Amino acid sequence: MRTFDDTYRHKGLRKQLVDLLKQKGITDERVLTAILQVPRHFFLDSALDRVAYEDRAFPIAEGQTISQPYTVAYQTQLLEVKPYEKVLEIGTGSGYQAIILGEMNAQVYTIERQKKLFEEHRKFILRGKYPNIKYFYGDGYEGLPTYGPFDKVIVTAAAPYIPPKLIEQLKTGGKMVIPVGEGNVQRMLRLTKQADGSVTEELFDNFSFVPMLEGKNQ
Ligand code: SAH
């Protein structure tokens, strides 16, 4: 069960979380403001209400997770999202990252391969507040060719390799933030697409994501 009451206590806890993220090195004010605005406890079972603003990942349905706030902030900061940009997200999961991007006024296209997780977003209470977010059930390795090209791509599952179709669907000058690696640890990469179709790579910190799997799951 979930509760959708955003109290002063929740708002206070969000402010403390934002202060912690600043201490951990997040500087982008637009990212911090979005985290301050979005009620993360709405995405979690009410049993987790007391800990929803701790800087931790939590389990959601289907053995998946809602990413740690620091990880969401880190990836979003690297993405350098500007208002009205088209952003493709792979791995909707709880929808928290998508809504952070929506709160920053991006045009968000988010894909989830688990049917049950995808279906939950249909009835989610914040859905109506963000008409700029579109939810898709599909395989992130395929991207969304009919909706591209995108200014930005963010992958929120551990990719064993860089999916070529996602590079194809990036605009020239577009950026992709993706944790790459098999096993328990992945390296965060930021790729920038060049005019000749090649990409330049920047390397960032290590993180631990659930795997990006091939195909859809009923
Ligand atoms: N962005 C999420 C993080 C979810 S965890 C959040 O803010 O909560 C990663 C998600 O990626 C899981 O829900 C998993 O089912 C999904 N996923 C894994 N492989 C995928 C693929 N190939 N295409 C789409 N989604 C995928």
Side-chain angles (χ1 to χ4, degrees):
M1 206 191 73
R2 300 200 212 171
T3 42
F4 301 112
D5 193 9
D6 193 22
T7 65
Y8 281 107
R9 187 181 67 84
H10 291 114
K11 292 186 171 93
L13 291 171
R14 279 210 291 288
K15 176 77 178 63
Q16 285 177 24
L17 173 61
V18 165
D19 289 342
L20 178 68
L21 296 175
K22 282 187 194 165
Q23 281 170 32
K24 289 188 171 181
I26 304 298
T27 52
D28 186 329
E29 286 297 331
R30 294 186 57 242
V31 174
L32 294 166
T33 303
I35 288 175
L36 191 61
Q37 297 300 328
V38 176
R40 186 172 189 249
H41 63 286
F42 283 16
F43 297 78
L44 295 166
D45 191 278
S46 55
L48 293 171
D49 190 80
R50 296 201 147 271
V51 290
Y53 293 100
E54 290 181 9
D55 191 21
R56 290 166 53 185
F58 288 107
I60 55 168
E62 306 300 299
Q64 301 302 322
T65 55
I66 176 170
S67 299
Q68 187 181 342
Y70 174 69
T71 307
V72 172
Y74 190 97
Q75 282 197 286
T76 311
Q77 176 164 289
L78 285 181
L79 208 57
E80 298 176 345
V81 184
K82 296 173 193 69
Y84 310 112
E85 278 188 341
K86 277 171 74 173
V87 180
L88 173 64
E89 182 198 21
I90 309 304
T92 315
S94 69
Y96 180 70
Q97 171 75 71
I99 286 186
I100 291 292
L101 294 166
E103 180 68 31
M104 294 171 72
N105 286 316
Q107 300 292 327
V108 184
Y109 299 76
T110 182
I111 314 179
E112 174 56 54
R113 70 181 287 280
Q114 297 269 7
K115 188 134 199 208
K116 197 163 161 246
L117 289 180
F118 163 75
E119 280 174 347
E120 282 192 10
H121 297 288
R122 244 191 262 284
K123 46 182 200 287
F124 187 49
I125 190 156
L126 291 176
R127 178 142 189 175
K129 194 180 168 200
Y130 298 96
N132 53 331
I133 307 178
K134 293 185 171 61
Y135 295 87
F136 297 84
Y137 167 53
D139 177 4
Y141 282 96
E142 300 297 321
L144 289 173
T146 50
Y147 294 86
F150 299 95
D151 297 287
K152 305 283 164 68
V153 175
I154 175 171
V155 178
T156 68
Y161 58 89
I162 297 162
K165 289 182 182 167
L166 299 184
I167 301 284
E168 277 169 31
Q169 291 168 37
L170 260 186
K171 291 183 187 173
T172 297
K175 291 183 196 296
M176 169 151 73
V177 174
I178 179 169
V180 180
E182 282 169 294
N184 291 332
V185 175
Q186 299 84 43
R187 191 76 185 261
M188 193 67 74
L189 304 185
R190 181 166 61 188
L191 312 172
T192 306
K193 189 169 177 178
Q194 308 300 311
D196 65 3
S198 67
V199 290
T200 56
E201 246 181 57
E202 296 166 277
L203 301 178
F204 296 92
D205 295 328
N206 284 329
F207 289 86
S208 187
F209 284 81
V210 297
M212 181 171 174
L213 302 172
E214 311 258 355
K216 289 191 284 192
N217 191 356
Q218 277 299 320

Short mmCIF file of all heavy atoms in Angstrom, two decimals, residues 78-88 106-107 109 147-154 166 169-177 191-193:
data_model
loop_
_atom_site.label_atom_id
_atom_site.label_comp_id
_atom_site.label_asym_id
_atom_site.label_seq_id
_atom_site.Cartn_x
_atom_site.Cartn_y
_atom_site.Cartn_z
N LEU A 78 25.07 14.75 -14.93
CA LEU A 78 25.92 14.47 -16.10
C LEU A 78 25.17 14.67 -17.42
O LEU A 78 25.77 14.99 -18.44
CB LEU A 78 26.44 13.02 -16.06
CG LEU A 78 27.55 12.71 -15.08
CD1 LEU A 78 27.95 11.24 -15.21
CD2 LEU A 78 28.76 13.60 -15.33
N LEU A 79 23.87 14.49 -17.38
CA LEU A 79 23.06 14.58 -18.60
C LEU A 79 22.89 16.02 -19.10
O LEU A 79 22.60 16.25 -20.27
CB LEU A 79 21.68 13.96 -18.30
CG LEU A 79 20.91 13.33 -19.43
CD1 LEU A 79 21.69 12.24 -20.13
CD2 LEU A 79 19.58 12.77 -18.91
N GLU A 80 23.08 17.00 -18.19
CA GLU A 80 22.98 18.43 -18.55
C GLU A 80 21.69 18.74 -19.31
O GLU A 80 21.69 19.31 -20.40
CB GLU A 80 24.20 18.85 -19.38
CG GLU A 80 25.49 18.71 -18.59
CD GLU A 80 26.75 19.02 -19.40
OE1 GLU A 80 26.66 19.08 -20.65
OE2 GLU A 80 27.80 19.22 -18.78
N VAL A 81 20.58 18.34 -18.72
CA VAL A 81 19.27 18.47 -19.36
C VAL A 81 18.81 19.94 -19.39
O VAL A 81 18.89 20.62 -18.38
CB VAL A 81 18.20 17.69 -18.57
CG1 VAL A 81 16.87 17.74 -19.30
CG2 VAL A 81 18.63 16.27 -18.35
N LYS A 82 18.35 20.35 -20.54
CA LYS A 82 17.78 21.70 -20.66
C LYS A 82 16.28 21.58 -20.92
O LYS A 82 15.83 20.57 -21.46
CB LYS A 82 18.47 22.46 -21.78
CG LYS A 82 19.94 22.67 -21.45
CD LYS A 82 20.71 23.29 -22.59
CE LYS A 82 22.21 23.18 -22.32
NZ LYS A 82 22.71 21.77 -22.39
N PRO A 83 15.51 22.61 -20.55
CA PRO A 83 14.06 22.53 -20.77
C PRO A 83 13.74 22.22 -22.24
O PRO A 83 14.43 22.71 -23.14
CB PRO A 83 13.56 23.92 -20.39
CG PRO A 83 14.58 24.42 -19.42
CD PRO A 83 15.89 23.85 -19.86
N TYR A 84 12.72 21.43 -22.45
CA TYR A 84 12.19 21.03 -23.76
C TYR A 84 13.05 20.06 -24.54
O TYR A 84 12.68 19.63 -25.63
CB TYR A 84 11.85 22.26 -24.64
CG TYR A 84 11.01 23.24 -23.87
CD1 TYR A 84 11.53 24.49 -23.52
CD2 TYR A 84 9.74 22.90 -23.43
CE1 TYR A 84 10.78 25.38 -22.76
CE2 TYR A 84 8.99 23.77 -22.67
CZ TYR A 84 9.51 25.00 -22.33
OH TYR A 84 8.78 25.86 -21.57
N GLU A 85 14.22 19.68 -23.99
CA GLU A 85 15.00 18.66 -24.69
C GLU A 85 14.28 17.32 -24.68
O GLU A 85 13.56 17.00 -23.72
CB GLU A 85 16.38 18.48 -24.02
CG GLU A 85 17.36 19.53 -24.46
CD GLU A 85 18.78 19.27 -23.97
OE1 GLU A 85 18.98 18.49 -23.01
OE2 GLU A 85 19.68 19.87 -24.55
N LYS A 86 14.51 16.54 -25.74
CA LYS A 86 13.94 15.18 -25.82
C LYS A 86 14.91 14.22 -25.16
O LYS A 86 16.05 14.08 -25.60
CB LYS A 86 13.73 14.78 -27.28
CG LYS A 86 12.43 15.32 -27.86
CD LYS A 86 12.35 15.10 -29.34
CE LYS A 86 12.08 13.66 -29.70
NZ LYS A 86 11.84 13.53 -31.16
N VAL A 87 14.42 13.58 -24.10
CA VAL A 87 15.27 12.66 -23.34
C VAL A 87 14.66 11.26 -23.36
O VAL A 87 13.49 11.08 -23.04
CB VAL A 87 15.41 13.12 -21.87
CG1 VAL A 87 16.29 12.15 -21.08
CG2 VAL A 87 15.97 14.55 -21.79
N LEU A 88 15.47 10.29 -23.75
CA LEU A 88 15.05 8.89 -23.71
C LEU A 88 15.66 8.24 -22.47
O LEU A 88 16.88 8.29 -22.27
CB LEU A 88 15.56 8.17 -24.98
CG LEU A 88 15.34 6.65 -25.03
CD1 LEU A 88 13.86 6.30 -25.05
CD2 LEU A 88 16.03 6.06 -26.26
N ALA A 106 11.92 18.51 -19.21
CA ALA A 106 12.34 17.79 -20.42
C ALA A 106 11.11 17.12 -21.03
O ALA A 106 10.09 16.95 -20.37
CB ALA A 106 13.38 16.74 -20.06
N GLN A 107 11.23 16.74 -22.32
CA GLN A 107 10.22 15.88 -22.96
C GLN A 107 10.74 14.46 -22.79
O GLN A 107 11.71 14.08 -23.44
CB GLN A 107 10.12 16.19 -24.46
CG GLN A 107 9.71 17.62 -24.77
CD GLN A 107 8.27 17.88 -24.35
OE1 GLN A 107 7.43 17.00 -24.41
NE2 GLN A 107 8.01 19.11 -23.92
N TYR A 109 10.78 10.31 -22.69
CA TYR A 109 10.30 9.06 -23.25
C TYR A 109 10.98 7.97 -22.45
O TYR A 109 12.21 7.88 -22.48
CB TYR A 109 10.69 8.94 -24.73
CG TYR A 109 10.11 10.02 -25.59
CD1 TYR A 109 10.65 11.31 -25.56
CD2 TYR A 109 9.01 9.79 -26.39
CE1 TYR A 109 10.10 12.33 -26.32
CE2 TYR A 109 8.46 10.80 -27.16
CZ TYR A 109 9.00 12.06 -27.12
OH TYR A 109 8.46 13.07 -27.86
N TYR A 147 10.36 7.79 -32.43
CA TYR A 147 10.28 9.04 -31.66
C TYR A 147 11.60 9.83 -31.66
O TYR A 147 11.63 10.97 -31.24
CB TYR A 147 9.85 8.76 -30.22
CG TYR A 147 8.44 8.23 -30.12
CD1 TYR A 147 8.18 6.86 -30.25
CD2 TYR A 147 7.37 9.10 -29.93
CE1 TYR A 147 6.89 6.36 -30.17
CE2 TYR A 147 6.08 8.61 -29.85
CZ TYR A 147 5.85 7.24 -29.98
OH TYR A 147 4.57 6.77 -29.90
N GLY A 148 12.68 9.19 -32.10
CA GLY A 148 13.98 9.85 -32.09
C GLY A 148 14.11 10.81 -33.26
O GLY A 148 13.16 10.96 -34.03
N PRO A 149 15.26 11.46 -33.42
CA PRO A 149 16.42 11.36 -32.54
C PRO A 149 16.25 12.17 -31.25
O PRO A 149 15.43 13.08 -31.19
CB PRO A 149 17.55 11.94 -33.40
CG PRO A 149 16.88 12.94 -34.28
CD PRO A 149 15.52 12.36 -34.56
N PHE A 150 17.03 11.81 -30.24
CA PHE A 150 16.95 12.42 -28.92
C PHE A 150 18.16 13.31 -28.64
O PHE A 150 19.25 13.06 -29.14
CB PHE A 150 16.87 11.32 -27.86
CG PHE A 150 15.65 10.45 -28.03
CD1 PHE A 150 15.72 9.25 -28.73
CD2 PHE A 150 14.42 10.84 -27.52
CE1 PHE A 150 14.59 8.46 -28.93
CE2 PHE A 150 13.28 10.05 -27.71
CZ PHE A 150 13.37 8.86 -28.42
N ASP A 151 17.91 14.33 -27.83
CA ASP A 151 19.02 15.18 -27.37
C ASP A 151 19.87 14.43 -26.36
O ASP A 151 21.09 14.61 -26.30
CB ASP A 151 18.48 16.45 -26.70
CG ASP A 151 17.68 17.31 -27.65
OD1 ASP A 151 18.31 17.93 -28.52
OD2 ASP A 151 16.42 17.33 -27.56
N LYS A 152 19.19 13.63 -25.54
CA LYS A 152 19.89 12.94 -24.45
C LYS A 152 19.31 11.53 -24.29
O LYS A 152 18.12 11.32 -24.50
CB LYS A 152 19.68 13.70 -23.12
CG LYS A 152 20.10 15.17 -23.15
CD LYS A 152 21.59 15.37 -23.08
CE LYS A 152 22.07 16.75 -23.48
NZ LYS A 152 21.72 17.83 -22.59
N VAL A 153 20.17 10.60 -23.89
CA VAL A 153 19.73 9.25 -23.51
C VAL A 153 20.32 8.94 -22.14
O VAL A 153 21.51 9.17 -21.90
CB VAL A 153 20.20 8.18 -24.53
CG1 VAL A 153 19.82 6.77 -24.07
CG2 VAL A 153 19.58 8.45 -25.92
N ILE A 154 19.48 8.42 -21.24
CA ILE A 154 19.95 8.00 -19.92
C ILE A 154 19.56 6.54 -19.71
O ILE A 154 18.39 6.18 -19.88
CB ILE A 154 19.41 8.93 -18.81
CG1 ILE A 154 19.82 8.42 -17.41
CG2 ILE A 154 17.91 9.13 -18.87
CD1 ILE A 154 19.50 9.41 -16.28
N LEU A 166 20.93 2.82 -29.62
CA LEU A 166 20.77 4.04 -28.81
C LEU A 166 21.70 5.14 -29.30
O LEU A 166 21.35 6.32 -29.25
CB LEU A 166 21.00 3.73 -27.33
CG LEU A 166 20.03 2.70 -26.72
CD1 LEU A 166 20.28 2.55 -25.22
CD2 LEU A 166 18.57 3.08 -26.98
N GLN A 169 20.11 6.67 -32.34
CA GLN A 169 18.95 7.53 -32.06
C GLN A 169 19.32 8.83 -31.33
O GLN A 169 18.45 9.59 -30.94
CB GLN A 169 17.90 6.74 -31.27
CG GLN A 169 17.27 5.65 -32.14
CD GLN A 169 16.45 4.64 -31.36
OE1 GLN A 169 15.78 4.99 -30.39
NE2 GLN A 169 16.49 3.39 -31.78
N LEU A 170 20.65 9.07 -31.17
CA LEU A 170 21.09 10.34 -30.58
C LEU A 170 21.29 11.37 -31.67
O LEU A 170 21.78 11.04 -32.76
CB LEU A 170 22.46 10.15 -29.91
CG LEU A 170 22.61 9.95 -28.43
CD1 LEU A 170 24.11 9.94 -28.09
CD2 LEU A 170 21.89 11.01 -27.61
N LYS A 171 20.95 12.64 -31.37
CA LYS A 171 21.26 13.72 -32.32
C LYS A 171 22.77 13.97 -32.33
O LYS A 171 23.45 13.66 -31.37
CB LYS A 171 20.59 15.03 -31.85
CG LYS A 171 19.08 15.00 -31.96
CD LYS A 171 18.51 16.36 -31.56
CE LYS A 171 16.99 16.28 -31.49
NZ LYS A 171 16.38 17.51 -30.96
N THR A 172 23.26 14.61 -33.37
CA THR A 172 24.65 15.05 -33.37
C THR A 172 24.81 16.05 -32.22
O THR A 172 23.98 16.94 -32.06
CB THR A 172 25.00 15.73 -34.71
OG1 THR A 172 24.85 14.74 -35.73
CG2 THR A 172 26.41 16.27 -34.72
N GLY A 173 25.85 15.86 -31.43
CA GLY A 173 26.04 16.72 -30.25
C GLY A 173 25.27 16.20 -29.04
O GLY A 173 25.42 16.72 -27.93
N GLY A 174 24.43 15.18 -29.25
CA GLY A 174 23.65 14.61 -28.15
C GLY A 174 24.52 13.79 -27.21
O GLY A 174 25.61 13.35 -27.59
N LYS A 175 24.01 13.62 -25.99
CA LYS A 175 24.80 12.90 -24.97
C LYS A 175 24.03 11.72 -24.40
O LYS A 175 22.81 11.78 -24.24
CB LYS A 175 25.15 13.84 -23.82
CG LYS A 175 26.16 14.93 -24.22
CD LYS A 175 26.51 15.79 -23.02
CE LYS A 175 27.18 17.09 -23.41
NZ LYS A 175 28.48 16.95 -24.05
N MET A 176 24.79 10.69 -24.07
CA MET A 176 24.21 9.51 -23.41
C MET A 176 24.99 9.23 -22.13
O MET A 176 26.21 9.22 -22.13
CB MET A 176 24.27 8.30 -24.34
CG MET A 176 23.94 7.01 -23.64
SD MET A 176 23.21 5.78 -24.74
CE MET A 176 24.56 5.28 -25.69
N VAL A 177 24.24 9.05 -21.03
CA VAL A 177 24.86 8.68 -19.75
C VAL A 177 24.46 7.24 -19.46
O VAL A 177 23.26 6.92 -19.42
CB VAL A 177 24.40 9.64 -18.63
CG1 VAL A 177 24.92 9.18 -17.27
CG2 VAL A 177 24.88 11.06 -18.93
N LEU A 191 28.80 9.68 -23.19
CA LEU A 191 29.18 9.64 -24.59
C LEU A 191 28.60 10.85 -25.29
O LEU A 191 27.47 11.25 -25.01
CB LEU A 191 28.62 8.37 -25.24
CG LEU A 191 28.85 7.06 -24.46
CD1 LEU A 191 28.07 5.91 -25.09
CD2 LEU A 191 30.33 6.74 -24.41
N THR A 192 29.37 11.42 -26.19
CA THR A 192 28.86 12.56 -26.98
C THR A 192 28.98 12.19 -28.45
O THR A 192 30.06 11.79 -28.91
CB THR A 192 29.67 13.84 -26.68
OG1 THR A 192 29.64 14.06 -25.27
CG2 THR A 192 29.07 15.06 -27.38
N LYS A 193 27.87 12.31 -29.16
CA LYS A 193 27.86 11.89 -30.58
C LYS A 193 28.43 13.00 -31.46
O LYS A 193 28.01 14.16 -31.39
CB LYS A 193 26.44 11.56 -31.01
CG LYS A 193 26.40 10.92 -32.40
CD LYS A 193 25.03 10.36 -32.66
CE LYS A 193 24.92 9.79 -34.04
NZ LYS A 193 23.59 9.19 -34.26
#
